[in-house]
Amino acid sequence: IQINGDTEWPNQYFCSAQPFEVKEFDIKKKDEIVLMKMQNVYNGTELKLNLPLDDLEKHLSAIFSKERDLDQYSLEAKVRIIKSQIVPKIGEGKYNDEILMKLVDDLYELGGKISGRADFEIRKDGYYVRMVVPNGTVFNTIQMDKNKMLSTTAESFLRIVKQAIGKYEHKSGLISGYIVAWPIYYKNFLRKYDNPSISSAEFISSRGDFDEYSKGELSAQELVLRGILKVDGEKYLLRDWDPAQIN
């Protein structure tokens, strides 16, 4: 079983306990596999499943099941994540089991509900939760330049993150900031047969600055100016703030 091309998904993904819709379904008889694209009803997160055709019902039940004890399954998932994702990064024996479980709870509430994964980076001032916001919008380069696409997506997706984590009370005391990442798709719409190009954007913010933004004390523009905005791995300085509405 593969999720998003990865066979190690049991060690990376949280148990969401949220509904998903089937967006695409394709049977590849020659390869004896089933390809499925699932989308979270609430936040748009996509899962691309690659399932063996043989005993399909058994493989589906390994991922989706109404009868499963979700509390126990969620606990098992968190223990696997601690062993495979957290301890290898921070080192063995640095924190006791109680702190590690609180940290994994923070990772779930602050990032897992958006991107489904336990992902964080260690920076000079502490641990930063990394979350990837889904984006299916393709921008028209005739109407929007790079600066406008960035300010548009940054304002929209920072608002999504604020709504998801703004009122959460941290448990571990170890989270110092957030990394919000998202793809940007764009093309010249006059060239209708061309495939969209893609850039990767990410914004790095301290927890203190983001808390001010969540309380309405900072605008999205002011928050971005305080943090670090990167495009395709390179630091980027917005010339102006001119966001458009994303449909």
Side-chain angles (χ1 to χ4, degrees):
I1 300 175
Q2 293 183 8
I3 295 182
N4 294 342
D6 195 348
T7 57
E8 294 297 318
W9 58 268
N11 296 328
Q12 298 181 32
Y13 287 89
F14 289 103
C15 174
S16 72
Q18 294 181 352
F20 280 72
E21 292 180 334
V22 178
K23 307 300 288 187
E24 296 179 12
F25 186 93
D26 189 16
I27 298 176
K28 302 290 187 180
K29 291 185 177 180
K30 183 179 179 180
D31 299 321
E32 297 185 341
I33 59 173
V34 173
L35 304 179
M36 295 176 62
K37 180 187 286 187
M38 312 288 294
Q39 187 172 53
N40 188 300
V41 172
Y42 297 131
N43 61 28
T45 298
E46 290 187 346
L47 297 178
K48 297 178 181 179
L49 309 182
N50 186 323
L51 305 170
L53 187 57
D54 181 47
D55 207 349
L56 181 59
E57 184 176 352
K58 181 186 74 174
H59 298 307
L60 285 172
S61 67
I63 305 173
F64 306 101
S65 177
K66 294 181 180 180
E67 292 77 22
R68 186 188 299 276
D69 182 344
L70 289 179
D71 289 338
Q72 180 61 32
Y73 185 68
S74 178
L75 177 60
E76 293 172 359
K78 289 178 180 179
V79 171
R80 287 196 300 267
I81 286 170
I82 289 173
K83 291 181 179 180
S84 64
Q85 302 297 314
I86 297 179
V87 171
K89 283 186 177 181
I90 67 178
E92 190 80 40
K94 190 170 185 178
Y95 303 108
N96 60 36
D97 291 343
E98 181 182 0
I99 294 297
L100 289 174
M101 190 58 72
K102 288 181 178 180
L103 175 57
V104 81
D105 284 340
D106 284 344
L107 293 176
Y108 171 65
E109 294 293 338
L110 296 170
K113 285 188 174 180
I114 294 175
S115 56
R117 299 174 63 132
D119 199 0
F120 69 101
E121 294 183 11
I122 301 176
R123 300 180 64 83
K124 290 182 180 180
D125 57 338
Y127 303 153
Y128 277 58
V129 180
R130 181 178 181 84
M131 56 198 83
V132 180
V133 182
N135 175 30
T137 302
V138 179
F139 294 104
N140 187 352
T141 55
I142 299 174
Q143 300 173 338
M144 302 179 74
D145 61 13
K146 183 176 182 179
N147 198 81
K148 192 175 185 69
M149 285 187 281
L150 280 167
S151 58
T152 297
T153 51
E155 180 163 277
S156 176
F157 298 149
L158 288 175
R159 187 186 307 117
I160 290 173
V161 173
K162 177 176 69 173
Q163 293 170 346
I165 72 173
K167 296 182 179 180
Y168 176 68
E169 295 183 4
H170 292 229
K171 295 180 179 180
S172 68
L174 299 176
I175 303 301
S176 298
Y178 312 108
I179 302 172
V180 183
W182 65 94
I184 299 176
Y185 301 96
Y186 53 93
K187 63 175 291 185
N188 183 332
F189 277 28
L190 291 179
R191 301 172 181 173
K192 59 181 181 179
Y193 297 111
D194 288 356
N195 292 323
S197 298
I198 180 172
S199 287
S200 299
E202 71 173 30
F203 172 66
I204 305 170
S205 171
S206 71
R207 178 180 164 187
D209 286 345
F210 203 92
D211 284 348
E212 289 187 49
Y213 168 65
S214 296
K215 295 174 184 176
E217 298 171 1
L218 288 179
S219 67
Q221 180 183 11
E222 291 170 324
L223 177 66
V224 170
L225 289 174
R226 285 194 182 185
I228 299 173
L229 180 65
K230 292 184 176 181
V231 180
D232 296 328
E234 300 292 332
K235 188 174 180 180
Y236 186 88
L237 181 63
L238 284 170
R239 297 190 308 275
D240 52 36
W241 191 261
D242 185 26
Q245 185 70 35
I246 295 182
N247 296 325

